[in-house]
Amino acid sequence: MAQSGHLRPLPTAPRRWAFTNTINHYAFRLPKGRTTCMDCGHSWLMNETVDRCTCPNCKAKLKVKETYTRKCQQKCS
């Protein structure tokens, strides 16, 4: 554990890969259609109800959840 402080920082490409492939990506949609990307925080109006969408700002492929929740909390077991 003490030696972990002496490791070099992780390069950008592996960090980007880990972010896109290890966590779930969600868009929270309110009943009136206001949708928020949980990756970049961009918010837009989406009138149709769909299971998946793409964020117009960061182009992330997101799973849509209809909820009033404002924060996405994930943890691994």
Side-chain angles (χ1 to χ4, degrees):
M1 215 37 196
Q3 294 298 323
S4 65
H6 300 291
L7 294 173
R8 291 189 300 178
L10 200 60
T12 303
R15 263 189 292 164
R16 189 177 320 123
W17 178 89
F19 178 74
T20 58
N21 293 307
T22 59
I23 63 170
N24 299 324
H25 301 274
Y26 293 108
F28 285 173
R29 183 178 182 272
L30 296 173
K32 290 187 177 182
R34 175 61 58 189
T35 308
T36 305
C37 173
M38 292 293 110
D39 285 357
C40 68
H42 179 71
S43 183
W44 71 97
L45 191 61
M46 188 168 65
N47 294 326
E48 65 277 353
T49 302
V50 294
D51 291 336
R52 296 195 171 272
C53 70
T54 303
C55 176
N57 187 45
C58 67
K59 307 298 187 232
K61 295 177 184 173
L62 308 166
K63 183 177 179 182
V64 178
K65 284 188 169 183
E66 275 207 32
T67 181
Y68 284 107
T69 306
R70 292 177 178 247
K71 294 181 182 178
C72 182
Q73 296 182 0
Q74 293 183 22
K75 60 182 176 180
C76 65
S77 53

